[in-house]
Amino acid sequence: MSDNTQVKPSTDPELNPELTPELSTEIGPNWFASVMGTGIIANAAVGLPLVGKDLSSIGLIIWLLAALMLVAMLLIKIIQTIIRPHIIKRQFNDPVMAQFFGAPPMAMLTVAGGTILFGPQIMAPETSITIAWTLWFIGTLGGIATAVIITFRLFTHYKIRSDAAFGGWLMPVVPPMVSAAIGAMLIPYAPSIAMQQTLIYVCYAMFGVSLLSALIIITMIWSRLVHSGTSGGARVPTLWIILGPLGQSITAAGALGAVAVLVVDEPIATAMNTMAILYGVPVWGFAFFWSILASLLTLSALRKNMPFALTWWAFTFPVGTCVTGTSQLALHTGLPAFEWAAIMLFAGLICTWIIAAIGTIKGLKTGHIIKNPTTASHVISKKGQL
């Protein structure tokens, strides 16, 4: 008796290289990483030690650019969702693209921070604070929702390989940390001392949600690199996302500690302020260590002709959070070493932004970065790819 069972060919391009995936012209939530990477330059510039006060005008221009980018992308994404709702459904069901739904809330929060810093230069202070509160509330609620929903679906819905952990998994869980950092800036504008104290504890709670989740995911990424190596190609830049929760947590700890002395009773206020150093310096050390590893892996990938992709924006916002975190350490310690480290990191941030921006402009001209496969693929990690 013959076996007439036929094996259906895989529709996964990674598993069936002869298959050419169907492409769709669209933008995904990962596009909002460009807003994050642009907005963080403005926020980092004005807070730089020694030279920050001289960069206010430049920071204003960059913040306005980030705000315009945010509005444009929100409009495009809303129109795209209305006209072609199947796109956002497919993106939401894609185990890789879905992780980047954390980017829109973080883009809003980044622009909210810039609104606090630069808004009063072009509008009434009350108006700028109102806009900042609005963006912060929307970004915070959206970020918490993303952290819960995407993580839940990662646990229960998405089918992934055992070597699938990558930097993008951090995107849904980092927004609460950004909310904590920007929330610290808004605490003085809360109408009563009770609301100020409540808000500072809410920010510390979001700090914990993001930090502990990030530590778990970073451990999984480390394990994947040890056991399976990198995936090679355009996913390598996502290793830099690990700097995001590290740098942002240093920033949040510093900002919350500084405002705590104004709104929280002793001895808790001093303890919170001291945490900025006791927590920030060790984490800064690990961030420096990881940046060396990520640089080596990236250089190896570049030698293999790593193609440009929107993942290259992972070089910007995470590095920007390290700039703001280092500036906080400079403020709290008064050490010239941290002051100059912040300035040098900022110079690196500008270089990475220029590289990502040029690559994006070229990609838009050719059209290839707005064409995405309509079927999800499994990226396979293995050693020796770089």
PDB file of all heavy atoms in Angstrom, residues 231-255:
ATOM      1  N   SER A 231      21.279  36.341  15.253  1.00  0.00           N
ATOM      2  CA  SER A 231      20.510  36.010  14.059  1.00  0.00           C
ATOM      3  C   SER A 231      21.146  36.605  12.820  1.00  0.00           C
ATOM      4  O   SER A 231      20.750  36.300  11.703  1.00  0.00           O
ATOM      5  CB  SER A 231      19.074  36.530  14.201  1.00  0.00           C
ATOM      6  OG  SER A 231      19.096  37.937  14.380  1.00  0.00           O
ATOM      7  N   GLY A 232      22.127  37.495  13.024  1.00  0.00           N
ATOM      8  CA  GLY A 232      22.762  38.145  11.889  1.00  0.00           C
ATOM      9  C   GLY A 232      21.850  39.158  11.234  1.00  0.00           C
ATOM     10  O   GLY A 232      20.689  39.335  11.606  1.00  0.00           O
ATOM     11  N   GLY A 233      22.366  39.863  10.259  1.00  0.00           N
ATOM     12  CA  GLY A 233      21.547  40.763   9.460  1.00  0.00           C
ATOM     13  C   GLY A 233      20.980  41.942  10.214  1.00  0.00           C
ATOM     14  O   GLY A 233      21.541  42.434  11.196  1.00  0.00           O
ATOM     15  N   ALA A 234      19.807  42.395   9.766  1.00  0.00           N
ATOM     16  CA  ALA A 234      19.227  43.638  10.240  1.00  0.00           C
ATOM     17  C   ALA A 234      18.718  43.570  11.674  1.00  0.00           C
ATOM     18  O   ALA A 234      18.355  44.594  12.248  1.00  0.00           O
ATOM     19  CB  ALA A 234      18.079  44.059   9.312  1.00  0.00           C
ATOM     20  N   ARG A 235      18.665  42.361  12.267  1.00  0.00           N
ATOM     21  CA  ARG A 235      18.170  42.272  13.639  1.00  0.00           C
ATOM     22  C   ARG A 235      19.264  42.574  14.662  1.00  0.00           C
ATOM     23  O   ARG A 235      18.970  42.800  15.834  1.00  0.00           O
ATOM     24  CB  ARG A 235      17.568  40.887  13.900  1.00  0.00           C
ATOM     25  CG  ARG A 235      16.582  40.889  15.061  1.00  0.00           C
ATOM     26  CD  ARG A 235      15.778  39.610  15.165  1.00  0.00           C
ATOM     27  NE  ARG A 235      16.558  38.483  15.646  1.00  0.00           N
ATOM     28  CZ  ARG A 235      16.017  37.386  16.178  1.00  0.00           C
ATOM     29  NH1 ARG A 235      14.700  37.283  16.268  1.00  0.00           N
ATOM     30  NH2 ARG A 235      16.770  36.382  16.570  1.00  0.00           N
ATOM     31  N   VAL A 236      20.528  42.590  14.238  1.00  0.00           N
ATOM     32  CA  VAL A 236      21.635  42.844  15.159  1.00  0.00           C
ATOM     33  C   VAL A 236      21.503  44.196  15.873  1.00  0.00           C
ATOM     34  O   VAL A 236      21.764  44.285  17.078  1.00  0.00           O
ATOM     35  CB  VAL A 236      22.986  42.741  14.415  1.00  0.00           C
ATOM     36  CG1 VAL A 236      24.131  43.221  15.300  1.00  0.00           C
ATOM     37  CG2 VAL A 236      23.232  41.298  13.982  1.00  0.00           C
ATOM     38  N   PRO A 237      21.103  45.287  15.181  1.00  0.00           N
ATOM     39  CA  PRO A 237      20.988  46.563  15.891  1.00  0.00           C
ATOM     40  C   PRO A 237      20.029  46.542  17.083  1.00  0.00           C
ATOM     41  O   PRO A 237      20.158  47.374  17.982  1.00  0.00           O
ATOM     42  CB  PRO A 237      20.486  47.529  14.805  1.00  0.00           C
ATOM     43  CG  PRO A 237      21.007  46.952  13.533  1.00  0.00           C
ATOM     44  CD  PRO A 237      20.917  45.469  13.722  1.00  0.00           C
ATOM     45  N   THR A 238      19.081  45.581  17.104  1.00  0.00           N
ATOM     46  CA  THR A 238      18.151  45.551  18.229  1.00  0.00           C
ATOM     47  C   THR A 238      18.847  45.192  19.537  1.00  0.00           C
ATOM     48  O   THR A 238      18.268  45.371  20.611  1.00  0.00           O
ATOM     49  CB  THR A 238      17.000  44.556  17.973  1.00  0.00           C
ATOM     50  OG1 THR A 238      17.522  43.223  17.874  1.00  0.00           O
ATOM     51  CG2 THR A 238      16.247  44.918  16.705  1.00  0.00           C
ATOM     52  N   LEU A 239      20.082  44.690  19.460  1.00  0.00           N
ATOM     53  CA  LEU A 239      20.836  44.435  20.685  1.00  0.00           C
ATOM     54  C   LEU A 239      21.093  45.732  21.448  1.00  0.00           C
ATOM     55  O   LEU A 239      21.289  45.718  22.655  1.00  0.00           O
ATOM     56  CB  LEU A 239      22.165  43.749  20.357  1.00  0.00           C
ATOM     57  CG  LEU A 239      22.066  42.321  19.808  1.00  0.00           C
ATOM     58  CD1 LEU A 239      23.430  41.837  19.329  1.00  0.00           C
ATOM     59  CD2 LEU A 239      21.510  41.374  20.865  1.00  0.00           C
ATOM     60  N   TRP A 240      21.096  46.856  20.729  1.00  0.00           N
ATOM     61  CA  TRP A 240      21.303  48.151  21.379  1.00  0.00           C
ATOM     62  C   TRP A 240      20.093  48.575  22.193  1.00  0.00           C
ATOM     63  O   TRP A 240      20.199  49.451  23.065  1.00  0.00           O
ATOM     64  CB  TRP A 240      21.639  49.214  20.334  1.00  0.00           C
ATOM     65  CG  TRP A 240      22.999  49.038  19.760  1.00  0.00           C
ATOM     66  CD1 TRP A 240      23.371  48.202  18.736  1.00  0.00           C
ATOM     67  CD2 TRP A 240      24.206  49.683  20.177  1.00  0.00           C
ATOM     68  NE1 TRP A 240      24.718  48.288  18.492  1.00  0.00           N
ATOM     69  CE2 TRP A 240      25.261  49.204  19.357  1.00  0.00           C
ATOM     70  CE3 TRP A 240      24.494  50.631  21.149  1.00  0.00           C
ATOM     71  CZ2 TRP A 240      26.580  49.638  19.508  1.00  0.00           C
ATOM     72  CZ3 TRP A 240      25.812  51.067  21.280  1.00  0.00           C
ATOM     73  CH2 TRP A 240      26.829  50.565  20.481  1.00  0.00           C
ATOM     74  N   ILE A 241      18.932  47.984  21.916  1.00  0.00           N
ATOM     75  CA  ILE A 241      17.734  48.341  22.680  1.00  0.00           C
ATOM     76  C   ILE A 241      17.929  48.036  24.160  1.00  0.00           C
ATOM     77  O   ILE A 241      17.305  48.664  25.026  1.00  0.00           O
ATOM     78  CB  ILE A 241      16.499  47.600  22.117  1.00  0.00           C
ATOM     79  CG1 ILE A 241      16.237  48.034  20.672  1.00  0.00           C
ATOM     80  CG2 ILE A 241      15.253  47.874  22.970  1.00  0.00           C
ATOM     81  CD1 ILE A 241      15.075  47.305  20.007  1.00  0.00           C
ATOM     82  N   ILE A 242      18.806  47.079  24.461  1.00  0.00           N
ATOM     83  CA  ILE A 242      19.066  46.743  25.864  1.00  0.00           C
ATOM     84  C   ILE A 242      19.538  47.968  26.644  1.00  0.00           C
ATOM     85  O   ILE A 242      19.251  48.107  27.844  1.00  0.00           O
ATOM     86  CB  ILE A 242      20.097  45.600  25.943  1.00  0.00           C
ATOM     87  CG1 ILE A 242      19.445  44.302  25.449  1.00  0.00           C
ATOM     88  CG2 ILE A 242      20.649  45.424  27.355  1.00  0.00           C
ATOM     89  CD1 ILE A 242      20.397  43.120  25.377  1.00  0.00           C
ATOM     90  N   LEU A 243      20.232  48.881  25.970  1.00  0.00           N
ATOM     91  CA  LEU A 243      20.672  50.103  26.645  1.00  0.00           C
ATOM     92  C   LEU A 243      19.488  50.988  27.033  1.00  0.00           C
ATOM     93  O   LEU A 243      19.612  51.821  27.935  1.00  0.00           O
ATOM     94  CB  LEU A 243      21.623  50.898  25.744  1.00  0.00           C
ATOM     95  CG  LEU A 243      22.980  50.256  25.428  1.00  0.00           C
ATOM     96  CD1 LEU A 243      23.776  51.170  24.495  1.00  0.00           C
ATOM     97  CD2 LEU A 243      23.760  49.997  26.715  1.00  0.00           C
ATOM     98  N   GLY A 244      18.348  50.814  26.351  1.00  0.00           N
ATOM     99  CA  GLY A 244      17.175  51.649  26.620  1.00  0.00           C
ATOM    100  C   GLY A 244      16.689  51.572  28.054  1.00  0.00           C
ATOM    101  O   GLY A 244      16.648  52.596  28.762  1.00  0.00           O
ATOM    102  N   PRO A 245      16.275  50.383  28.533  1.00  0.00           N
ATOM    103  CA  PRO A 245      15.814  50.306  29.916  1.00  0.00           C
ATOM    104  C   PRO A 245      16.922  50.615  30.923  1.00  0.00           C
ATOM    105  O   PRO A 245      16.645  51.111  32.022  1.00  0.00           O
ATOM    106  CB  PRO A 245      15.323  48.863  30.050  1.00  0.00           C
ATOM    107  CG  PRO A 245      15.980  48.112  28.944  1.00  0.00           C
ATOM    108  CD  PRO A 245      16.120  49.098  27.822  1.00  0.00           C
ATOM    109  N   LEU A 246      18.180  50.323  30.571  1.00  0.00           N
ATOM    110  CA  LEU A 246      19.283  50.626  31.490  1.00  0.00           C
ATOM    111  C   LEU A 246      19.461  52.131  31.640  1.00  0.00           C
ATOM    112  O   LEU A 246      19.442  52.680  32.748  1.00  0.00           O
ATOM    113  CB  LEU A 246      20.579  49.984  30.986  1.00  0.00           C
ATOM    114  CG  LEU A 246      20.584  48.460  30.856  1.00  0.00           C
ATOM    115  CD1 LEU A 246      21.907  47.980  30.268  1.00  0.00           C
ATOM    116  CD2 LEU A 246      20.321  47.791  32.200  1.00  0.00           C
ATOM    117  N   GLY A 247      19.629  52.812  30.511  1.00  0.00           N
ATOM    118  CA  GLY A 247      19.823  54.258  30.565  1.00  0.00           C
ATOM    119  C   GLY A 247      18.604  54.996  31.077  1.00  0.00           C
ATOM    120  O   GLY A 247      18.719  55.963  31.851  1.00  0.00           O
ATOM    121  N   GLN A 248      17.407  54.542  30.674  1.00  0.00           N
ATOM    122  CA  GLN A 248      16.194  55.225  31.114  1.00  0.00           C
ATOM    123  C   GLN A 248      15.957  55.027  32.596  1.00  0.00           C
ATOM    124  O   GLN A 248      15.425  55.910  33.272  1.00  0.00           O
ATOM    125  CB  GLN A 248      15.000  54.710  30.317  1.00  0.00           C
ATOM    126  CG  GLN A 248      13.745  55.578  30.407  1.00  0.00           C
ATOM    127  CD  GLN A 248      13.918  56.932  29.754  1.00  0.00           C
ATOM    128  OE1 GLN A 248      14.501  57.840  30.309  1.00  0.00           O
ATOM    129  NE2 GLN A 248      13.392  57.064  28.547  1.00  0.00           N
ATOM    130  N   SER A 249      16.351  53.866  33.134  1.00  0.00           N
ATOM    131  CA  SER A 249      16.175  53.641  34.567  1.00  0.00           C
ATOM    132  C   SER A 249      17.116  54.525  35.382  1.00  0.00           C
ATOM    133  O   SER A 249      16.741  55.020  36.453  1.00  0.00           O
ATOM    134  CB  SER A 249      16.400  52.165  34.904  1.00  0.00           C
ATOM    135  OG  SER A 249      17.743  51.769  34.675  1.00  0.00           O
ATOM    136  N   ILE A 250      18.335  54.748  34.876  1.00  0.00           N
ATOM    137  CA  ILE A 250      19.251  55.677  35.548  1.00  0.00           C
ATOM    138  C   ILE A 250      18.668  57.087  35.513  1.00  0.00           C
ATOM    139  O   ILE A 250      18.702  57.820  36.509  1.00  0.00           O
ATOM    140  CB  ILE A 250      20.630  55.657  34.879  1.00  0.00           C
ATOM    141  CG1 ILE A 250      21.238  54.255  34.933  1.00  0.00           C
ATOM    142  CG2 ILE A 250      21.567  56.658  35.543  1.00  0.00           C
ATOM    143  CD1 ILE A 250      22.503  54.098  34.104  1.00  0.00           C
ATOM    144  N   THR A 251      18.114  57.461  34.360  1.00  0.00           N
ATOM    145  CA  THR A 251      17.484  58.779  34.226  1.00  0.00           C
ATOM    146  C   THR A 251      16.319  58.934  35.185  1.00  0.00           C
ATOM    147  O   THR A 251      16.188  59.955  35.871  1.00  0.00           O
ATOM    148  CB  THR A 251      16.991  58.989  32.784  1.00  0.00           C
ATOM    149  OG1 THR A 251      18.076  58.800  31.877  1.00  0.00           O
ATOM    150  CG2 THR A 251      16.401  60.376  32.603  1.00  0.00           C
ATOM    151  N   ALA A 252      15.458  57.909  35.225  1.00  0.00           N
ATOM    152  CA  ALA A 252      14.280  57.975  36.102  1.00  0.00           C
ATOM    153  C   ALA A 252      14.680  58.033  37.570  1.00  0.00           C
ATOM    154  O   ALA A 252      14.121  58.817  38.347  1.00  0.00           O
ATOM    155  CB  ALA A 252      13.381  56.766  35.849  1.00  0.00           C
ATOM    156  N   ALA A 253      15.666  57.212  37.955  1.00  0.00           N
ATOM    157  CA  ALA A 253      16.110  57.213  39.356  1.00  0.00           C
ATOM    158  C   ALA A 253      16.655  58.577  39.746  1.00  0.00           C
ATOM    159  O   ALA A 253      16.384  59.088  40.849  1.00  0.00           O
ATOM    160  CB  ALA A 253      17.164  56.138  39.572  1.00  0.00           C
ATOM    161  N   GLY A 254      17.408  59.195  38.847  1.00  0.00           N
ATOM    162  CA  GLY A 254      17.957  60.516  39.133  1.00  0.00           C
ATOM    163  C   GLY A 254      16.894  61.590  39.196  1.00  0.00           C
ATOM    164  O   GLY A 254      16.890  62.429  40.113  1.00  0.00           O
ATOM    165  N   ALA A 255      15.974  61.583  38.221  1.00  0.00           N
ATOM    166  CA  ALA A 255      14.928  62.605  38.183  1.00  0.00           C
ATOM    167  C   ALA A 255      13.969  62.468  39.366  1.00  0.00           C
ATOM    168  O   ALA A 255      13.570  63.464  39.975  1.00  0.00           O
ATOM    169  CB  ALA A 255      14.165  62.514  36.865  1.00  0.00           C
TER     170      ALA A 255
END
